[in-house]
Amino acid sequence: MRSTPKACHAAAGILNDRGIQRALRNDERRWALSPAGGATRARGADEMSDATKDGRPRIPAHIRRRVLVEAGHRCAIPSCRHIIAEVHHIGPWSTTRAHRYDNLIALCLNCHDRADRGEIDRKSLRLYKLNLRFAHDKYSQLEMDILFELYKNGQEVGMPWFAFHLILLKRICDSGFITFEETAIGLSMDNLKTNPDLIKITDKGRLFVEKLGLHEL
Ligand SMILES: [Zn+2]
């Protein structure tokens, strides 16, 4: 069933004339230009309120800003990148009842509607969000890949890893997402241990992956 734009829209960005005309053509979107809608040109007094017209609490400014900056104030879908960006709930507001950064993504009006219709599904949105995070977050793609692999393997299984390569995982180590367990020395060459040790995901690491929503993929 198609949800109404009110349920998950929080408009942002600069509306050009074409965007305004399009919004006005669609009654469902008129809220976006109303004092309670949240579109950039209509904000002002609206920002003084803590809730939208339908009574839902407004997305906190720092979270909204972070989501928009993450996508460069454009639609997060790489093949679109429209300049009118809104904040969309990946898991719908009706079920999450929360404005969590991990569950929010910047989308244009068109992609937002396509997401509401299910043409762009939730898993796809999470992948688009993930692409943005790889580009902007502090963890490398290698670190994220290893973290997901450890998550899938389970907490007790772990993965062989050489101590002298730990520098590649420094940031997920420092964040407490993985632990390093030394194994007994089996082989050594020039006093360098050549059999691998073990890395394992921690509870904190599992929580991080789950907050990204990637366990649903
Ligand atoms: Zn778009």
Side-chain angles (χ1 to χ4, degrees), residues 48-207:
M48 306 293 284
S49 169
D50 291 333
T52 57
K53 194 176 178 180
D54 59 5
R56 183 176 55 173
R58 194 168 301 288
I59 297 173
H62 70 282
I63 295 178
R64 187 170 171 278
R65 183 181 303 112
R66 188 178 171 198
V67 173
L68 292 171
V69 167
E70 174 185 62
H73 281 72
R74 285 175 174 259
C75 180
I77 295 181
S79 53
C80 176
R81 302 297 282 152
H82 198 286
I83 60 168
I84 301 176
E86 306 174 325
V87 176
H88 173 76
H89 289 78
I90 299 173
W93 164 262
S94 58
T95 56
T96 61
R97 312 295 290 177
H99 299 311
R100 286 190 300 102
Y101 161 73
D102 295 317
N103 190 47
L104 297 171
I105 188 170
L107 292 180
C108 72
L109 288 172
N110 189 41
C111 292
H112 199 153
D113 277 354
R114 293 184 67 199
D116 282 346
R117 287 197 298 270
E119 291 175 24
I120 304 172
D121 67 10
R122 201 174 304 167
K123 290 182 179 179
S124 302
L125 292 177
R126 294 211 184 281
L127 287 171
Y128 286 128
K129 170 94 176 175
L130 185 63
N131 288 340
L132 296 172
R133 294 193 68 145
F134 281 152
H136 298 289
D137 269 12
K138 64 178 182 176
Y139 305 112
S140 70
Q141 182 138 11
L142 172 69
E143 288 176 305
M144 296 298 283
D145 286 345
I146 285 172
L147 209 51
F148 301 149
E149 199 61 30
L150 288 171
Y151 182 90
K152 281 192 292 183
N153 288 350
Q155 211 150 0
E156 294 307 314
V157 177
M159 180 188 292
W161 195 263
F162 292 103
F164 51 86
H165 283 161
L166 261 186
I167 187 67
L168 299 173
L169 308 179
K170 183 178 187 307
R171 285 169 291 191
I172 55 173
C173 282
D174 290 349
S175 295
F177 294 165
I178 61 170
T179 56
F180 179 74
E181 293 181 13
E182 283 192 58
T183 58
I185 296 176
L187 297 169
S188 64
M189 185 180 295
D190 293 335
N191 291 324
L192 181 67
K193 183 179 172 185
T194 55
N195 59 304
D197 297 299
L198 206 59
I199 51 173
K200 289 183 176 178
I201 192 167
T202 62
D203 287 339
K204 191 176 177 186
R206 291 184 65 81
L207 192 65

